Amino acid sequence: MNLNDLTVNDTEKIALDDLFFSNENKAALLQIIKEHQYIEELKKYNLKVDNKILLHGSSGCGKTTTAKAIAHTLNKKIIIVNLSTIIDSRIGETSKNLKAIFDKAIRERAVLFLDEFDQIGKSRDSDDKDVGEMRRLVNTIIQLFDYFPVDSLLICATNHYEIIDSALLRRFQLRLKYEMPADDQLNVYYDKILSGFPSEYQNIQRNYGVSYAEALDYIHTTMKKQIIASLESR
């Protein structure tokens, strides 16, 4: 399979201030960003920067946008890989594809974002009938992790933290949990997004108990209905 078919070079620019998540997560991410901004100075003291992050938790709560914001802040290219697209019935092909992707990220000193990490990082102690194959794949991933250079950044995301192999989990210096936003957090998000529309369209019923992604989809759908209705009534 062609390497270009496996990766996405995303050019969307997202700032850290555009993200909505806990203050604890933001502080931890800012620390890693600062480490990479001062990487040469830290090397003088034989201090290695953290460069492996695992984002886990509820879907639609900002894991992908976090990776994009980190890349933008560090002025690095981001390579996005949905791991469900590289799984091959032949485990050797999957390992080969992974190595090619890691090599590309290393050459370009890019941020490598592996989405749906549980697709390849599943525990070797699972009851999966293909556990032998999975052991070999996880061993390959461990080697790729261990030789990943500090001037590149690896970010993995999963909605299924509990099935990730423990040896892989230990290799992430930072593990951040993303949870469904509370009502007050959603209100801040609604206020920010709605402020970009004319005031006559902003007074909409707000949905709660949803992710940020679901809230955004809801706002956009509601806005389109209102704007079209306004145009047709003229």
Side-chain angles (χ1 to χ4, degrees), residues 66-78 111 153 155:
T66 294
K68 291 179 180 180
I70 291 172
H72 175 60
T73 304
L74 291 174
N75 196 29
K76 286 180 175 285
K77 176 188 290 186
I78 184 168
V111 172
L153 191 60
I155 305 175

Side-chain angles (χ1 to χ4, degrees), residues 86-105:
I86 74 164
I87 301 299
D88 194 283
S89 59
R90 295 168 296 175
I91 208 72
E93 284 299 311
T94 299
S95 297
K96 179 181 175 182
N97 290 338
L98 278 171
K99 187 176 185 307
I101 290 167
F102 271 73
D103 287 346
K104 176 180 172 67

